[in-house]
Amino acid sequence: MVTRVPEVLLRHRVRIEPYLADTAYGPTYGPAIEAVPALVDPSPRMARAPDGREFTAAATFIAAPDLDCPLGSRITLPDGRTATATTVARHTAPGLPVPACTEVTTE
C-alpha cells in the first residue's frame, strides 16, 4: 500500500499551467490548474536539469504523487513569482511506510 503525503502538510497553493509545446511564438500552455496543494521551499539552491546543465532553483515544492506537471510548465508560486518546472521527480517507496509525493524544481 502506497501512502500519500498528508494533505495537512501541503500548506501552500500553486498555480500550474501545463506545458503543451513550443510554437513560432514561444511556448504554449494548457488551461491553468488553480490552487494546487503543495509544500513550497522558496530557498534558492543549485540543481541539475535533465540535460545536465546546472541552474539556481527559484523554488522547490512537493505535491500529491499523482500531480500532472510536465517539464516546462509555468508555475505561479504563493508569493506571486512565476517560474518554469525544470525537474519533476516522483518519489515512491512501495512496501515502506513513507509517503509518496511529486517533487518539482523550478527555474
Side-chain angles (χ1 to χ4, degrees):
M1 178 175 137
V2 175
T3 60
R4 297 169 57 96
V5 63
E7 187 80 22
V8 70
L9 296 179
L10 305 177
R11 307 185 76 115
H12 304 113
R13 297 295 177 263
V14 296
R15 179 178 192 248
I16 299 174
E17 296 170 78
Y19 173 79
L20 296 178
D22 279 326
T23 67
Y25 302 103
T28 57
Y29 303 95
I33 304 165
E34 303 287 342
V36 175
L39 180 61
V40 178
D41 176 5
S43 306
R45 65 179 179 89
M46 292 303 294
R48 188 174 302 275
D51 64 5
R53 71 181 172 81
E54 290 185 345
F55 67 95
T56 301
T60 301
F61 67 89
I62 62 168
D66 56 355
L67 176 70
D68 183 22
C69 182
L71 292 177
S73 295
R74 185 166 41 203
I75 311 294
T76 303
L77 299 167
D79 63 5
R81 292 181 297 150
T82 58
T84 302
T86 307
T87 66
V88 177
R90 304 208 186 283
H91 300 292
T92 63
L96 297 176
V98 295
C101 66
T102 299
E103 178 183 26
V104 179
T105 303
T106 65
E107 179 177 23

